[in-house]
Amino acid sequence: MSQSRIRVLVGKPGLDGHDRGAKVIARALRDAGMEVIYSGLHQTPEEIVEAAIQEDVDVIGLSILSGAHLTIFPRVKELLREQEAEDILLIGGGTIPEEDVEVLLRQGFAEALFTPGTPTGEIVGWIKQRLEKKGPEPARAND
Amino acid sequence: MSRDEMNEWLERLLRHERRAVAKLISRVEDDRGRAEIMHSVRAHSGKSLVVGITGPPGVGKSSLVEALTRYYRENGERVGIVAVDPSSPYTGGAILGDRIRMQAHTTDRDVFIRSMGTRGHLGGVARSTADVLRILEAGGYGRLLLETVGVGQSEIEIMRLADTVVVVLNPGTGDGIQAIKAGIMEVADIFVVNKSDMPGAERMKNDIEMMLDLNGGAGPLRRPPVVLTSALQALGIPELGEAIAEQQAFLRESGQIKIRRQVQLQRETWHYLEEKVRALFDGTWPQIPQDWLEAGERDPFGLVEKVWAKMTGGRDVS
């Protein structure tokens, strides 16, 4: 019997230390049955991609409130490509202006971006839909 | 994954490619081709001794793993780490946060850190933790460190996995010793009093020594040393490293390692068999006649015999 679980790395790249949002998201994903690896604060793109590869995650979620999103998303995407790990979905959230969201999505630097006010259920739903093959294991008797 | 694909990943594992290590761990953890993968991996692993770090939540297990990793890296060793955190019994989800303390080693290509959720398994580790350690070894990481979930009294499954069991405690938790003296206390090869820069460390050490005195000749063959450390201030780490080296030398020279490995094999075989029996039971239960259930209300022991006969009747357990 398969015991597959969706695995997500929640990362805080860059210099801002506001991780409340990242923790709220991590908790919501946990409650949706996912395994969430939390990287901690002040991670470089290199550290995030390396951790994602070692942990073999399905999704990287970046929380960025520092304004560095136009630098960090492309850099993470580039590193994933270098490591032949483009199958890992890259999503993010934080204070990202609408026009930058469009730029990042249009140029393929992120698969989805969720800005403040997004219900956590929407993020859970998006991930589950993209990874339908890996749904949680149905409950078994006597477990 | 097709057989060809799996073989390719296994070849890449033996070439020490990190992506292959990660992918095969996921396969085994998810029980997708686990037996086949482990059959190959076992042929290329088993020499390394596993250091298991266990103890109550918050005593500094992750920080000690980080400090030990630094110590082994200075000796040029390649370090494979498995860190286990609890999965939610309600949703199966988990927050795996042990990496946070180990950030310094993230981009060191000679260190591989893998987090695992327990996924319903009790005993302080996950079902496939032993397998994951062997995959790391086959992938070129010869120094194996295992961090259990924060444990209380009786999570002693680490015995099945670790050749060196390091039990970590803190000063000022005398009651903590009381709580563990019957369980983990008995399986420790080495005791660590971490956060030894805090008051009461010497006293804690004495308390442990006194309890070890009471053991007399019973229990483990070798009296566990008690090491004082402060992972954050990097105190006592070489001493811990030496204590581990001495215990592992003792295991090899005394032949104890053979006995331990046989006990480990027995337990691992049992766990795997248990899973098979459970699956067989789950498949059999819906097929049993209603009148058996009604009779079972009066006599569950009789029902066990009948269900067992149906589960095994003329069939191979595989």
Side-chain angles (χ1 to χ4, degrees), chain B:
Chain B
M1 176 160 57
S2 71
R3 183 155 292 273
D4 284 350
E5 231 180 310
M6 194 189 300
N7 284 338
E8 196 196 316
W9 281 118
L10 284 163
E11 276 170 30
R12 292 175 65 179
L13 173 74
L14 297 180
R15 288 202 300 269
H16 298 177
E17 286 184 27
R18 284 159 22 269
R19 199 93 209 274
V21 175
K23 285 283 175 203
L24 287 168
I25 288 174
S26 297
R27 290 277 162 182
V28 164
E29 196 179 17
D30 294 349
D31 205 0
R32 291 175 287 158
R34 179 183 177 197
E36 296 89 331
I37 291 169
M38 288 318 297
H39 184 71
S40 301
V41 167
R42 287 270 172 178
H44 299 276
S45 63
K47 289 197 187 73
S48 292
L49 300 184
V50 177
V51 179
I53 313 277
T54 191
V59 291
K61 293 184 293 296
S62 299
S63 300
L64 267 179
V65 167
E66 194 280 327
L68 274 175
T69 301
R70 194 175 297 270
Y71 172 80
Y72 288 125
R73 288 296 299 127
E74 280 164 11
N75 292 332
E77 296 186 62
R78 305 186 80 222
V79 184
I81 300 164
V82 177
V84 189
D85 267 330
S87 300
S88 160
Y90 300 109
T91 66
I95 303 275
L96 310 176
D98 291 322
R99 291 191 80 93
I100 296 174
R101 307 262 173 268
M102 307 176 194
Q103 281 180 9
H105 304 290
T106 299
T107 50
D108 181 349
R109 292 293 167 94
D110 294 314
V111 177
F112 194 108
I113 305 167
R114 183 64 177 236
S115 313
M116 298 183 81
T118 52
R119 299 192 182 183
H121 194 82
L122 302 175
V125 295
R127 205 173 55 114
S128 50
T129 297
D131 298 335
V132 173
L133 285 160
R134 291 304 157 207
I135 294 171
L136 286 172
E137 185 186 356
Y141 301 92
R143 175 58 67 175
L144 299 175
L145 302 178
L146 161 64
E147 177 188 341
T148 71
V149 304
V151 300
Q153 287 182 298
S154 59
E155 292 91 340
I156 55 173
E157 207 187 317
I158 190 165
M159 286 169 70
R160 177 170 71 88
L161 301 170
D163 302 296
T164 306
V165 177
V166 179
V167 173
V168 186
L169 301 165
N170 286 158
T173 54
D175 287 349
I177 292 200
Q178 293 300 320
I180 60 157
K181 66 183 174 186
I184 311 179
M185 192 73 187
E186 293 168 284
V187 304
D189 295 300
I190 296 169
F191 283 100
V192 166
V193 180
N194 190 39
K195 307 187 189 176
S196 66
D197 50 320
M198 286 164 58
E202 282 295 338
R203 179 160 177 206
M204 185 71 172
K205 177 176 157 75
N206 291 342
D207 284 350
I208 299 169
E209 297 280 10
M210 235 160 63
M211 219 170 315
L212 292 172
D213 290 341
L214 294 177
N215 278 355
L221 291 169
R222 188 172 177 276
R223 183 183 169 111
V226 184
V227 184
L228 298 182
T229 62
S230 167
L232 285 188
Q233 305 200 18
L235 297 174
I237 303 304
E239 289 79 359
L240 176 57
E242 277 156 34
I244 291 169
E246 279 168 25
Q247 188 266 352
Q248 296 195 336
F250 167 80
L251 280 183
R252 291 192 196 275
E253 283 156 21
S254 66
Q256 277 289 310
I257 185 66
K258 271 198 176 148
I259 299 170
R260 282 207 185 204
R261 282 292 157 87
Q262 277 171 15
V263 172
Q264 288 168 359
L265 183 63
Q266 182 196 356
R267 284 167 187 261
E268 272 187 70
T269 308
W270 164 243
H271 273 274
Y272 206 56
L273 187 62
E274 196 179 23
E275 283 164 29
K276 283 179 179 279
V277 172
R278 181 191 298 259
L280 191 56
F281 174 81
D282 287 347
T284 306
W285 185 258
Q287 299 167 22
I288 66 169
Q290 184 63 29
D291 57 319
W292 285 21
L293 289 181
E294 280 155 21
E297 283 171 23
R298 293 188 301 277
D299 178 16
F301 300 99
L303 183 60
V304 167
E305 295 300 328
K306 286 164 93 169
V307 172
W308 180 252
K310 195 171 171 64
M311 280 165 64
T312 55
R315 268 188 300 169
D316 198 312
V317 186
S318 68

